[in-house]
Amino acid sequence: MNIRSYIIPILSIAIAAGSGCSPKKPEAAEQREKWLESLNDSITAYQKQTEEINSQLDDARKRVGELIGSFDYVSHPREVEGYYILNGWKERYPLRETGLVARVTEDERFELIATLTGAHFNEVGVTADGETLQTEVVPHDQALNYRAGNLNTVCFTGSRADSIGALISAHEASKITVTYLNGPKTGSLTLPESEKAMIAATWRLYDSQRTVHSYEKELPRLSGKIAACRRILETVDSVSD
């Protein structure tokens, strides 16, 4: 056999071997590329969320604008701040007999104001379609729980009052009862249609305002996330250069 017979098989083996030994990208480099891609994907996702929230925010602001037209703004020198009350109720408030109404404060808090004649109370329970919610106890202090003659008036705010506002709004068409408590029960009321409608409308205004604020808070958070991702990418680029 001549030398050519040996060279050809050896070259064939070398070529075959070489074709399967192309340089492989290090795993760390692949992970880095995936990480950079994920940052860009995150920026795209946050930008999309920002666009969606801006659209929702516009709708929510329009909703507040529509609703607040049905309210009067009231400000008295003897009160710390003004409030919004449903049209037609400015002259009927403060209540002079047993009842339950609502208003939205100037700094956009929901308040339930309950009144009871002939007895005292420091909390109320509201029942609609078998569901009962109770306010927190507000002790008699002549500020939020005050008495004048035979009328006891108590102002309730906070998460429990919010929940009762939502309950009344959701069950406006149903029978709603109010139970007055001072430890034991001291009085009760079947909520009149006018007061149900008044509280439900007030809750809708407050809830719409709350929605606007939640969107307004979300936008800076998303903007911060986008900026953080971009800073990382810029740092990586500068190091690579």
Side-chain angles (χ1 to χ4, degrees):
M1 182 181 292
N2 59 34
I3 192 167
R4 181 180 174 84
S5 302
Y6 288 102
I7 292 173
I8 292 174
I10 290 171
L11 287 173
S12 300
I13 292 170
I15 292 169
S19 66
C21 294
S22 58
K24 186 177 180 182
K25 187 179 293 185
E27 184 177 344
E30 289 185 357
Q31 292 298 326
R32 181 175 179 277
E33 285 186 4
K34 289 180 180 178
W35 173 60
L36 294 175
E37 287 176 7
S38 72
L39 288 173
N40 282 304
D41 289 343
S42 294
I43 289 173
T44 300
Y46 295 144
Q47 288 173 331
K48 183 178 180 182
Q49 289 177 43
T50 298
E51 290 174 2
E52 291 172 350
I53 289 175
N54 270 317
S55 176
Q56 293 167 338
L57 178 57
D58 287 342
D59 291 341
R61 283 173 173 162
K62 288 176 185 176
R63 176 66 173 158
V64 170
E66 292 168 356
L67 292 173
I68 208 163
S70 299
F71 286 76
D72 291 315
Y73 174 72
V74 180
S75 180
H76 294 302
R78 59 186 174 82
E79 294 184 308
V80 176
E81 62 178 325
Y83 57 87
Y84 293 89
I85 195 163
L86 188 68
N87 292 348
W89 283 85
K90 184 168 65 173
E91 304 303 326
R92 300 169 64 180
Y93 178 81
L95 295 177
R96 298 172 181 81
E97 59 186 4
T98 300
L100 181 68
V101 292
R103 64 185 189 179
V104 176
T105 64
E106 191 172 343
D107 64 354
E108 299 182 357
R109 288 177 292 108
F110 180 75
E111 292 185 338
L112 278 174
I113 299 93
T115 52
L116 178 65
T117 55
H120 299 150
F121 71 103
N122 55 22
E123 65 178 312
V124 298
V126 176
T127 302
D129 291 328
E131 181 178 0
T132 300
L133 297 177
Q134 287 186 212
T135 64
E136 294 181 351
V137 172
V138 176
H140 171 54
D141 59 1
Q142 287 302 116
L144 296 177
N145 182 339
Y146 55 95
R147 300 166 186 172
N150 71 338
L151 183 69
N152 191 176
T153 301
V154 183
C155 178
F156 299 100
T157 61
S159 59
R160 292 194 183 185
D162 289 354
S163 296
I164 289 174
L167 178 70
I168 293 172
S169 179
H171 298 271
E172 185 180 352
S174 304
K175 177 183 177 181
I176 298 175
T177 59
V178 181
T179 302
Y180 297 81
L181 305 163
N182 195 32
K185 175 180 175 181
T186 58
S188 64
L189 168 72
T190 298
L191 206 58
E193 294 297 321
S194 60
E195 291 181 16
K196 284 194 294 183
M198 186 269 195
I199 295 168
T202 306
W203 167 258
R204 286 191 288 270
L205 171 62
Y206 165 74
D207 193 43
S208 296
Q209 290 172 327
R210 188 169 60 169
T211 299
V212 166
H213 295 320
S214 70
Y215 289 146
E216 289 174 339
K217 289 178 181 178
E218 185 68 8
L219 289 174
R221 189 182 73 84
L222 289 170
S223 180
K225 288 188 172 184
I226 292 171
C229 289
R230 284 177 172 163
R231 280 195 301 271
I232 294 171
L233 289 171
E234 288 169 3
T235 300
V236 171
D237 285 343
S238 65
V239 171
S240 299
D241 293 340

